[in-house]
Coordinates of all heavy atoms in Angstrom, one line a residue:
M716 N 37.2 270.5 63.1 CA 37.5 269.3 62.8 C 36.3 268.4 62.9 O 35.6 268.5 63.9 CB 38.6 268.8 63.7 CG 39.1 267.4 63.4 SD 40.4 267.2 64.7 CE 41.4 266.1 63.9
T717 N 36.0 267.6 61.9 CA 34.8 266.8 62.0 C 35.2 265.4 62.4 O 36.2 264.9 62.2 CB 34.1 266.7 60.6 OG1 35.0 266.1 59.7 CG2 33.7 268.1 60.1
A718 N 34.2 264.8 63.1 CA 34.4 263.4 63.6 C 34.3 262.4 62.4 O 33.4 262.5 61.6 CB 33.4 263.1 64.7
K719 N 35.2 261.5 62.4 CA 35.1 260.5 61.4 C 34.3 259.3 61.9 O 34.4 258.9 63.0 CB 36.5 260.0 61.1 CG 36.6 258.9 60.1 CD 38.0 258.4 59.8 CE 38.0 257.3 58.8 NZ 39.3 256.9 58.5
T720 N 33.3 259.0 61.2 CA 32.4 257.9 61.5 C 32.7 256.7 60.6 O 33.1 256.8 59.4 CB 30.9 258.2 61.3 OG1 30.7 258.6 59.9 CG2 30.5 259.4 62.2
T721 N 32.6 255.6 61.2 CA 32.8 254.3 60.5 C 31.5 253.5 60.6 O 30.8 253.5 61.6 CB 34.0 253.5 61.1 OG1 33.7 253.2 62.4 CG2 35.3 254.3 61.0
T722 N 31.3 252.7 59.6 CA 30.1 251.8 59.6 C 30.6 250.4 59.4 O 31.5 250.2 58.7 CB 29.1 252.2 58.4 OG1 29.7 252.1 57.2 CG2 28.5 253.6 58.6
R723 N 30.0 249.6 60.2 CA 30.3 248.2 60.1 C 29.3 247.5 59.1 O 28.2 247.8 59.1 CB 30.2 247.5 61.4 CG 31.3 247.9 62.4 CD 31.2 247.1 63.7 NE 30.1 247.6 64.5 CZ 29.7 247.0 65.6 NH1 30.3 245.8 65.9 NH2 28.7 247.4 66.2
P724 N 29.9 246.6 58.3 CA 29.0 246.0 57.3 C 28.0 245.1 58.1 O 28.5 244.5 59.2 CB 30.0 245.2 56.4 CG 31.2 245.0 57.2 CD 31.3 246.3 58.1
K725 N 26.9 244.9 57.6 CA 25.9 244.0 58.3 C 26.4 242.5 58.1 O 26.8 242.2 57.0 CB 24.6 244.2 57.7 CG 23.9 245.3 58.1 CD 22.4 245.2 57.8 CE 21.6 246.1 58.8 NZ 20.4 245.5 59.1
L726 N 26.3 241.8 59.1 CA 26.6 240.4 59.1 C 25.5 239.6 58.5 O 24.4 239.8 58.8 CB 27.0 239.9 60.5 CG 28.2 240.5 61.2 CD1 28.3 239.9 62.7 CD2 29.5 240.2 60.4
T727 N 25.9 238.6 57.8 CA 24.9 237.6 57.2 C 24.5 236.7 58.4 O 25.3 236.5 59.3 CB 25.4 236.9 56.1 OG1 26.4 236.0 56.5 CG2 25.9 237.8 55.0
P728 N 23.3 236.1 58.2 CA 22.9 235.0 59.2 C 24.0 233.9 59.4 O 24.3 233.5 60.5 CB 21.6 234.5 58.8 CG 21.1 235.6 58.0 CD 22.2 236.3 57.3
A729 N 24.7 233.5 58.4 CA 25.7 232.5 58.4 C 26.9 233.1 59.2 O 27.5 232.3 60.0 CB 26.1 232.1 57.0
Q730 N 27.3 234.4 59.0 CA 28.4 234.9 59.7 C 28.1 235.0 61.2 O 28.9 234.8 62.1 CB 28.7 236.3 59.1 CG 29.4 236.3 57.8 CD 29.5 237.6 57.1 OE1 28.6 238.4 57.3 NE2 30.6 237.8 56.5
R731 N 26.8 235.4 61.5 CA 26.5 235.5 63.0 C 26.5 234.2 63.6 O 26.9 234.0 64.7 CB 25.0 236.1 63.1 CG 25.0 237.6 63.1 CD 23.7 238.2 63.6 NE 22.6 237.7 62.8 CZ 22.1 238.3 61.6 NH1 22.8 239.4 61.2 NH2 21.1 237.9 61.1
S732 N 26.0 233.1 62.9 CA 26.0 231.8 63.4 C 27.4 231.3 63.6 O 27.7 230.6 64.6 CB 25.2 230.9 62.5 OG 25.3 229.5 62.9
A733 N 28.2 231.5 62.7 CA 29.7 231.1 62.9 C 30.3 231.8 64.0 O 31.1 231.1 64.9 CB 30.4 231.5 61.6
G734 N 30.0 233.0 64.3 CA 30.5 233.8 65.5 C 30.0 233.2 66.7 O 30.7 233.0 67.7
D735 N 28.7 232.9 66.8 CA 28.1 232.3 68.0 C 28.7 230.9 68.2 O 29.0 230.6 69.4 CB 26.5 232.1 67.7 CG 25.8 233.4 67.8 OD1 26.5 234.5 68.1 OD2 24.6 233.4 67.4
Q736 N 28.9 230.2 67.2 CA 29.6 228.9 67.4 C 30.9 229.0 67.9 O 31.4 228.2 68.7 CB 29.5 228.1 66.0 CG 28.1 227.7 65.7 CD 28.1 227.0 64.2 OE1 29.1 226.7 63.7 NE2 26.9 226.8 63.8
A737 N 31.7 229.9 67.3 CA 33.1 230.1 67.8 C 33.1 230.5 69.3 O 34.0 230.0 70.1 CB 33.8 231.1 67.0
L738 N 32.2 231.4 69.7 CA 32.1 231.8 71.1 C 31.8 230.6 72.0 O 32.3 230.4 73.0 CB 31.2 233.0 71.2 CG 31.0 233.6 72.7 CD1 32.3 234.1 73.2 CD2 30.0 234.6 72.6
A739 N 30.7 229.9 71.5 CA 30.3 228.7 72.3 C 31.4 227.7 72.5 O 31.6 227.2 73.6 CB 29.1 228.1 71.6
R740 N 32.1 227.5 71.4 CA 33.3 226.5 71.5 C 34.4 227.0 72.4 O 34.9 226.2 73.2 CB 33.8 226.3 70.1 CG 35.0 225.2 70.2 CD 35.3 224.8 68.8 NE 34.1 224.3 68.2 CZ 34.1 223.3 67.3 NH1 35.1 222.8 66.9 NH2 32.9 222.9 66.8
A741 N 34.7 228.4 72.4 CA 35.7 228.8 73.4 C 35.3 228.7 74.8 O 36.1 228.3 75.6 CB 36.0 230.3 73.0
L742 N 34.0 229.0 75.0 CA 33.5 229.0 76.4 C 33.5 227.5 76.8 O 33.9 227.2 78.0 CB 32.0 229.5 76.4 CG 31.5 229.7 77.8 CD1 32.3 230.5 78.8 CD2 30.0 230.3 77.7
H743 N 33.1 226.6 76.0 CA 33.1 225.1 76.3 C 34.5 224.7 76.7 O 34.7 224.0 77.6 CB 32.5 224.4 75.1 CG 32.6 222.9 75.2 ND1 33.6 222.1 74.8 CD2 31.7 222.0 75.9 CE1 33.4 220.9 75.1 NE2 32.3 220.8 75.8
N744 N 35.5 225.0 75.8 CA 36.9 224.7 76.1 C 37.3 225.3 77.4 O 38.1 224.7 78.2 CB 37.8 225.1 75.0 CG 37.5 224.3 73.8 OD1 37.0 223.1 73.8 ND2 37.9 224.8 72.6
A745 N 37.0 226.5 77.7 CA 37.4 227.2 79.0 C 36.8 226.4 80.2 O 37.5 226.3 81.2 CB 37.0 228.7 79.0
I746 N 35.6 225.9 80.0 CA 35.0 225.2 81.2 C 35.7 223.9 81.4 O 36.1 223.5 82.4 CB 33.5 225.0 80.9 CG1 32.7 226.2 80.9 CG2 32.9 223.9 81.9 CD1 31.2 226.2 80.4
K747 N 35.9 223.1 80.2 CA 36.6 221.8 80.3 C 38.0 221.9 80.8 O 38.5 221.0 81.4 CB 36.5 221.1 79.0 CG 35.0 220.7 78.6 CD 35.0 219.7 77.5 CE 35.4 218.3 78.2 NZ 35.0 217.2 77.4
D748 N 38.7 223.0 80.4 CA 40.1 223.2 80.9 C 40.2 223.7 82.3 O 41.3 223.9 82.8 CB 40.8 224.1 79.9 CG 41.0 223.4 78.5 OD1 40.9 222.2 78.5 OD2 41.3 224.2 77.6
G749 N 39.0 224.1 82.9 CA 39.0 224.5 84.3 C 39.4 226.0 84.5 O 39.6 226.4 85.6
H750 N 39.3 226.8 83.4 CA 39.6 228.2 83.5 C 38.4 229.0 84.0 O 38.6 230.1 84.5 CB 40.1 228.7 82.1 CG 41.2 228.1 81.5 ND1 42.5 228.2 82.1 CD2 41.4 227.3 80.5 CE1 43.3 227.5 81.5 NE2 42.8 227.0 80.4
V751 N 37.2 228.5 83.9 CA 36.0 229.2 84.3 C 35.2 228.1 85.1 O 35.3 226.9 84.9 CB 35.2 229.8 83.2 CG1 36.0 230.9 82.5 CG2 34.7 228.8 82.2
G752 N 34.3 228.7 86.0 CA 33.5 227.8 86.7 C 32.0 228.0 86.4 O 31.6 229.0 85.9
V753 N 31.2 226.9 86.6 CA 29.8 227.0 86.3 C 29.0 226.7 87.6 O 29.3 225.8 88.3 CB 29.4 226.0 85.3 CG1 27.9 226.0 85.0 CG2 30.2 226.1 84.0
A754 N 28.1 227.6 87.9 CA 27.3 227.5 89.1 C 25.8 227.5 88.9 O 25.4 228.5 88.1 CB 27.6 228.6 90.2
L755 N 25.0 226.6 89.3 CA 23.6 226.5 89.1 C 22.9 227.2 90.3 O 23.1 226.8 91.5 CB 23.1 225.1 89.0 CG 21.6 224.8 89.0 CD1 20.9 225.5 87.8 CD2 21.3 223.4 89.0
Y756 N 22.1 228.2 90.0 CA 21.3 228.9 91.0 C 19.8 228.6 90.7 O 19.5 228.2 89.6 CB 21.6 230.4 91.0 CG 22.9 230.8 91.5 CD1 23.9 231.0 90.7 CD2 23.1 230.9 92.9 CE1 25.2 231.3 91.0 CE2 24.5 231.2 93.4 CZ 25.5 231.4 92.5 OH 26.8 231.8 92.9
A757 N 18.9 229.0 91.5 CA 17.5 228.8 91.3 C 17.0 229.6 90.1 O 16.1 229.2 89.5 CB 16.7 229.1 92.6
D758 N 17.6 230.8 89.9 CA 17.1 231.7 88.8 C 17.9 231.6 87.6 O 17.7 232.3 86.7 CB 16.9 233.0 89.3 CG 18.3 233.6 89.8 OD1 19.2 232.9 90.2 OD2 18.5 234.9 89.8
G759 N 18.9 230.7 87.5 CA 19.8 230.6 86.3 C 21.2 230.0 86.6 O 21.4 229.4 87.6
V760 N 22.0 230.1 85.6 CA 23.3 229.5 85.6 C 24.3 230.7 85.4 O 24.2 231.5 84.5 CB 23.5 228.5 84.5 CG1 24.9 228.0 84.4 CG2 22.5 227.4 84.6
E761 N 25.3 230.7 86.3 CA 26.4 231.7 86.2 C 27.7 231.0 85.7 O 28.1 229.9 86.4 CB 26.6 232.3 87.6 CG 27.6 233.4 87.7 CD 27.7 233.8 89.0 OE1 26.9 234.8 89.4 OE2 28.6 233.6 89.8
I762 N 28.3 231.6 84.8 CA 29.7 231.1 84.4 C 30.6 232.2 84.6 O 30.5 233.3 84.2 CB 29.7 230.8 82.8 CG1 28.7 229.7 82.5 CG2 31.1 230.4 82.4 CD1 28.5 229.4 81.1
S763 N 31.6 232.0 85.5 CA 32.5 233.0 86.0 C 34.0 232.5 85.9 O 34.3 231.4 85.9 CB 32.2 233.3 87.5 OG 32.3 232.1 88.3
G764 N 34.8 233.6 85.8 CA 36.2 233.3 85.6 C 37.0 233.6 86.9 O 36.4 233.6 88.0
P765 N 38.2 233.9 86.8 CA 39.1 234.1 88.0 C 38.6 235.3 88.7 O 37.9 236.3 88.2 CB 40.4 234.5 87.4 CG 40.4 233.9 86.0 CD 39.0 233.9 85.5
D766 N 38.7 235.3 90.1 CA 38.3 236.3 91.0 C 36.7 236.5 90.9 O 36.3 237.6 91.2 CB 39.0 237.7 90.7 CG 40.5 237.6 90.9 OD1 40.9 236.9 91.8 OD2 41.2 238.2 90.1
D767 N 36.0 235.5 90.6 CA 34.6 235.5 90.5 C 34.0 236.5 89.6 O 32.9 237.1 89.9 CB 34.0 235.6 92.0 CG 32.6 235.1 92.1 OD1 32.3 234.1 91.2 OD2 31.8 235.5 92.9
I768 N 34.7 236.8 88.6 CA 34.2 237.8 87.5 C 33.1 237.0 86.6 O 33.5 236.0 86.0 CB 35.4 238.3 86.6 CG1 36.4 239.1 87.4 CG2 34.8 239.1 85.4 CD1 37.6 239.5 86.7
V769 N 32.0 237.6 86.6 CA 30.9 236.9 85.8 C 31.1 237.1 84.4 O 31.2 238.2 83.9 CB 29.5 237.4 86.3 CG1 28.4 236.8 85.4 CG2 29.3 237.1 87.7
L770 N 31.2 236.0 83.6 CA 31.3 236.1 82.2 C 30.0 236.0 81.5 O 29.7 236.8 80.6 CB 32.2 235.0 81.6 CG 33.6 234.9 82.2 CD1 34.3 233.6 81.8 CD2 34.4 236.1 81.9
V771 N 29.1 235.2 82.0 CA 27.8 235.0 81.4 C 26.8 234.5 82.6 O 27.1 233.8 83.4 CB 27.7 233.8 80.4 CG1 26.3 233.6 79.8 CG2 28.7 234.1 79.2
F772 N 25.6 235.1 82.5 CA 24.5 234.7 83.4 C 23.4 234.3 82.5 O 22.8 235.2 81.8 CB 24.1 235.7 84.4 CG 23.1 235.1 85.4 CD1 23.6 234.5 86.6 CD2 21.8 235.2 85.2 CE1 22.7 234.0 87.5 CE2 20.9 234.6 86.1 CZ 21.4 234.0 87.2
L773 N 23.0 233.0 82.5 CA 21.9 232.6 81.7 C 20.6 232.5 82.6 O 20.5 231.8 83.5 CB 22.1 231.2 81.2 CG 23.4 230.9 80.3 CD1 23.6 229.4 80.1 CD2 23.1 231.7 79.0
S774 N 19.6 233.3 82.2 CA 18.4 233.4 83.1 C 17.5 232.3 82.5 O 16.5 232.6 81.8 CB 17.7 234.8 82.8 OG 18.5 235.8 83.4
R775 N 17.8 231.1 82.9 CA 17.1 230.0 82.5 C 17.0 228.9 83.6 O 18.1 228.8 84.3 CB 17.8 229.3 81.3 CG 17.1 228.1 80.7 CD 17.7 227.6 79.5 NE 17.2 226.3 79.1 CZ 17.5 225.7 78.1 NH1 18.3 226.2 77.2 NH2 17.0 224.4 77.8
R776 N 16.0 228.3 83.9 CA 15.9 227.4 85.0 C 16.2 226.0 84.5 O 15.7 225.6 83.5 CB 14.5 227.4 85.6 CG 14.2 228.8 86.2 CD 13.0 228.8 87.0 NE 12.6 230.1 87.4 CZ 13.0 230.7 88.5 NH1 13.8 230.1 89.3 NH2 12.6 231.9 88.8
F777 N 17.0 225.3 85.3 CA 17.4 223.9 85.0 C 17.0 223.1 86.2 O 17.1 223.6 87.4 CB 18.9 223.8 84.8 CG 19.4 224.4 83.5 CD1 19.8 225.7 83.5 CD2 19.4 223.7 82.4 CE1 20.2 226.3 82.3 CE2 19.9 224.3 81.2 CZ 20.2 225.5 81.2
E778 N 16.6 221.9 86.0 CA 16.1 221.0 87.1 C 17.3 220.4 88.0 O 17.1 220.0 89.1 CB 15.1 220.0 86.7 CG 15.8 218.8 85.9 CD 15.8 219.1 84.4 OE1 15.4 220.1 83.9 OE2 16.3 218.1 83.7
S779 N 18.5 220.3 87.4 CA 19.6 219.7 88.0 C 20.9 220.1 87.4 O 21.0 220.7 86.3 CB 19.4 218.2 87.9 OG 19.6 217.8 86.6
T780 N 22.0 219.7 88.1 CA 23.3 220.0 87.5 C 23.6 219.2 86.3 O 24.3 219.6 85.4 CB 24.4 219.8 88.6 OG1 24.3 218.5 89.1 CG2 24.4 220.7 89.7
A781 N 23.0 218.0 86.3 CA 23.1 217.2 85.1 C 22.5 217.8 83.9 O 23.0 217.7 82.8 CB 22.4 215.8 85.4
A782 N 21.3 218.5 84.1 CA 20.7 219.1 82.9 C 21.5 220.3 82.5 O 21.6 220.5 81.3 CB 19.4 219.7 83.4
V783 N 22.2 221.0 83.3 CA 23.1 222.1 82.9 C 24.2 221.5 82.2 O 24.7 222.0 81.1 CB 23.6 222.9 84.2 CG1 24.7 224.0 83.8 CG2 22.4 223.6 84.9
A784 N 24.8 220.5 82.7 CA 26.0 219.8 82.1 C 25.6 219.3 80.7 O 26.4 219.5 79.7 CB 26.4 218.6 82.9
R785 N 24.5 218.7 80.5 CA 24.0 218.3 79.1 C 23.9 219.5 78.3 O 24.3 219.5 77.1 CB 22.7 217.6 79.2 CG 22.7 216.2 79.6 CD 21.5 215.4 79.5 NE 20.4 216.0 80.1 CZ 20.0 215.8 81.4 NH1 20.7 214.9 82.1 NH2 18.9 216.4 81.9
F786 N 23.3 220.6 78.8 CA 23.1 221.9 77.9 C 24.4 222.4 77.5 O 24.6 222.8 76.4 CB 22.3 222.9 78.8 CG 22.1 224.2 78.1 CD1 21.2 224.4 77.1 CD2 22.9 225.3 78.5 CE1 21.0 225.6 76.4 CE2 22.7 226.5 77.9 CZ 21.8 226.7 76.8
L787 N 25.5 222.4 78.4 CA 26.8 222.9 78.1 C 27.7 221.9 77.5 O 28.8 222.3 77.0 CB 27.4 223.5 79.3 CG 26.7 224.7 80.0 CD1 27.3 225.1 81.3 CD2 26.8 225.9 79.0
R788 N 27.2 220.7 77.4 CA 28.1 219.5 76.9 C 29.4 219.4 77.6 O 30.4 219.3 77.0 CB 28.3 219.7 75.4 CG 27.0 219.7 74.5 CD 27.2 219.8 73.1 NE 25.9 219.8 72.5 CZ 25.7 220.0 71.2 NH1 26.8 220.3 70.5 NH2 24.6 220.0 70.6
V789 N 29.3 219.4 78.9 CA 30.4 219.1 79.8 C 29.9 218.1 80.8 O 28.8 217.8 80.9 CB 30.9 220.4 80.5 CG1 31.4 221.4 79.6 CG2 29.8 221.0 81.4
G790 N 30.9 217.5 81.5 CA 30.6 216.5 82.6 C 29.9 217.2 83.7 O 30.1 218.5 84.0
K791 N 29.0 216.5 84.4 CA 28.3 217.2 85.5 C 29.2 217.7 86.7 O 28.8 218.4 87.5 CB 27.1 216.4 86.0 CG 27.5 215.1 86.7 CD 26.1 214.4 87.1 CE 26.5 213.1 87.8 NZ 25.3 212.4 88.3
D792 N 30.4 217.0 86.8 CA 31.3 217.5 87.9 C 31.8 218.9 87.6 O 32.5 219.5 88.5 CB 32.5 216.5 88.0 CG 33.2 216.2 86.7 OD1 32.5 216.1 85.6 OD2 34.4 216.1 86.7
F793 N 31.6 219.5 86.4 CA 32.0 220.8 86.1 C 31.0 221.9 86.7 O 31.3 223.0 86.7 CB 32.2 221.1 84.7 CG 33.4 220.4 84.1 CD1 33.4 219.2 83.4 CD2 34.7 221.0 84.3 CE1 34.5 218.6 82.9 CE2 35.8 220.4 83.8 CZ 35.7 219.2 83.1
V794 N 29.8 221.3 87.2 CA 28.7 222.3 87.5 C 28.6 222.2 89.0 O 28.4 221.1 89.6 CB 27.4 222.0 86.8 CG1 26.3 222.9 87.2 CG2 27.6 221.9 85.3
T795 N 28.6 223.3 89.7 CA 28.4 223.3 91.1 C 26.9 223.8 91.4 O 26.4 224.8 90.9 CB 29.3 224.5 91.8 OG1 30.7 224.2 91.4 CG2 29.2 224.5 93.3
D796 N 26.3 223.1 92.3 CA 24.9 223.3 92.7 C 24.8 224.3 93.8 O 25.2 224.0 94.9 CB 24.2 222.1 93.0 CG 22.7 222.2 93.2 OD1 22.2 223.4 93.1 OD2 22.0 221.2 93.1
E797 N 24.5 225.5 93.5 CA 24.4 226.6 94.6 C 23.0 226.9 95.1 O 22.8 227.8 95.9 CB 25.0 227.9 94.0 CG 26.5 227.8 93.7 CD 27.4 227.7 94.9 OE1 27.0 228.0 96.1 OE2 28.6 227.3 94.8
R798 N 22.1 226.0 94.6 CA 20.7 226.2 95.1 C 20.5 225.9 96.5 O 19.7 226.5 97.1 CB 19.8 225.3 94.2 CG 19.7 225.7 92.7 CD 18.9 224.7 91.9 NE 19.5 223.4 92.0 CZ 19.0 222.3 91.6 NH1 17.9 222.4 91.0 NH2 19.6 221.2 91.7
A799 N 21.3 225.1 97.0 CA 21.2 224.7 98.5 C 21.8 225.8 99.4 O 21.6 225.7 100.6 CB 21.9 223.4 98.7
S800 N 22.5 226.7 98.8 CA 23.2 227.7 99.7 C 22.2 228.7 100.3 O 22.5 229.4 101.2 CB 24.2 228.5 98.9 OG 23.5 229.3 97.9
G801 N 20.9 228.6 99.8 CA 19.9 229.5 100.4 C 19.9 230.9 99.8 O 19.0 231.7 100.1
E802 N 20.8 231.2 98.9 CA 20.8 232.5 98.2 C 19.7 232.6 97.2 O 19.5 231.7 96.4 CB 22.2 232.8 97.6 CG 23.3 232.9 98.5 CD 24.6 233.4 97.9 OE1 24.6 233.6 96.7 OE2 25.6 233.5 98.5
T803 N 19.1 233.7 97.1 CA 18.0 233.9 96.1 C 18.4 235.1 95.2 O 19.4 235.7 95.4 CB 16.7 234.2 96.8 OG1 16.8 235.5 97.5 CG2 16.3 233.2 97.8
D804 N 17.5 235.3 94.2 CA 17.8 236.4 93.3 C 17.9 237.8 94.0 O 18.7 238.6 93.7 CB 16.7 236.5 92.3 CG 16.9 237.3 91.2 OD1 18.0 237.5 90.7 OD2 16.0 238.0 90.7
R805 N 17.2 237.9 95.2 CA 17.2 239.1 95.9 C 18.5 239.2 96.8 O 19.0 240.3 97.0 CB 16.0 239.2 96.8 CG 14.7 239.5 96.0 CD 13.5 239.7 96.9 NE 12.3 239.9 96.1 CZ 11.6 238.9 95.7 NH1 11.9 237.6 95.9 NH2 10.5 239.2 95.0
S806 N 18.9 238.1 97.3 CA 20.0 238.2 98.3 C 21.4 238.1 97.6 O 22.4 238.6 98.1 CB 19.9 237.2 99.4 OG 20.1 235.9 98.7
R807 N 21.4 237.6 96.4 CA 22.6 237.4 95.7 C 22.9 238.7 94.8 O 22.0 239.1 94.1 CB 22.5 236.1 94.8 CG 23.8 235.9 94.0 CD 23.8 234.5 93.4 NE 22.5 234.2 92.7 CZ 22.4 234.5 91.4 NH1 23.2 235.0 90.7 NH2 21.2 234.2 90.9
R808 N 24.1 239.2 94.8 CA 24.4 240.3 94.0 C 24.5 239.8 92.6 O 25.2 238.9 92.2 CB 25.8 240.8 94.4 CG 26.2 242.1 93.7 CD 27.5 242.7 94.3 NE 27.9 243.6 93.2 CZ 29.2 243.5 92.7 NH1 30.0 242.7 93.2 NH2 29.5 244.3 91.8
L809 N 23.7 240.5 91.7 CA 23.5 240.0 90.3 C 24.7 240.6 89.5 O 25.4 241.6 89.9 CB 22.2 240.6 89.7 CG 21.0 239.9 90.2 CD1 19.8 240.5 89.6 CD2 21.0 238.4 90.0
P810 N 25.1 239.8 88.4 CA 26.2 240.2 87.7 C 26.0 241.6 86.9 O 24.9 242.0 86.8 CB 26.5 239.1 86.7 CG 25.2 238.3 86.7 CD 24.5 238.6 88.0
N811 N 27.0 242.0 86.3 CA 27.0 243.3 85.5 C 26.1 243.0 84.4 O 26.1 242.0 83.6 CB 28.4 243.5 85.0 CG 28.5 244.8 84.1 OD1 27.5 245.1 83.5 ND2 29.6 245.3 84.1
P812 N 25.1 243.9 84.1 CA 24.1 243.6 83.0 C 24.7 243.5 81.6 O 24.1 243.0 80.7 CB 23.2 244.9 83.1 CG 23.9 246.0 83.9 CD 24.9 245.2 84.7
Y813 N 26.0 244.1 81.4 CA 26.6 244.0 80.2 C 27.2 242.6 79.9 O 27.5 242.2 78.8 CB 27.6 245.1 80.0 CG 27.0 246.4 80.0 CD1 27.2 247.2 81.1 CD2 26.3 246.9 79.0 CE1 26.6 248.5 81.2 CE2 25.8 248.2 79.0 CZ 25.9 249.0 80.2 OH 25.3 250.2 80.1
A814 N 27.3 241.8 81.0 CA 27.9 240.5 80.8 C 26.9 239.4 81.0 O 27.2 238.3 81.3 CB 29.0 240.4 81.9
T815 N 25.6 239.8 80.8 CA 24.5 238.8 81.1 C 23.7 238.5 79.9 O 23.7 239.2 79.0 CB 23.6 239.2 82.3 OG1 23.0 240.4 81.9 CG2 24.4 239.5 83.6
D816 N 23.0 237.4 80.0 CA 22.0 237.1 79.0 C 20.6 237.3 79.6 O 20.2 236.5 80.5 CB 22.2 235.7 78.5 CG 21.2 235.2 77.6 OD1 20.8 235.9 76.7 OD2 20.9 234.0 77.6
G817 N 19.8 238.2 79.1 CA 18.5 238.3 79.5 C 18.3 239.1 80.8 O 17.2 239.1 81.4
R818 N 19.3 239.7 81.3 CA 19.1 240.5 82.5 C 19.2 242.1 82.2 O 20.1 242.5 81.6 CB 20.1 240.2 83.6 CG 19.9 238.8 84.1 CD 19.3 238.9 85.4 NE 18.9 237.6 85.9 CZ 18.2 237.4 86.8 NH1 17.6 238.3 87.5 NH2 17.9 236.1 87.2

């Protein structure tokens, strides 16, 4: 018996952009509706769901929670500043590499 292979058609740049926009909008709505949380760390921003499941980790530095809020287009009260907790990249357990951006 031979294995059946399938090929996916290549997406056009417009299709990729539309998919990215749909994902960004869904994430934005989940943040605003309180379904996920946003935490600012010294080495990036973590967006996590219930039971602290990491959905996205952005390896990007922001100077403040207000800067993160502007980037995500949400109110700054949706962003928790975890930089003061003293946790660093070495002491904090990093998220699953399949659920991260740039890690």
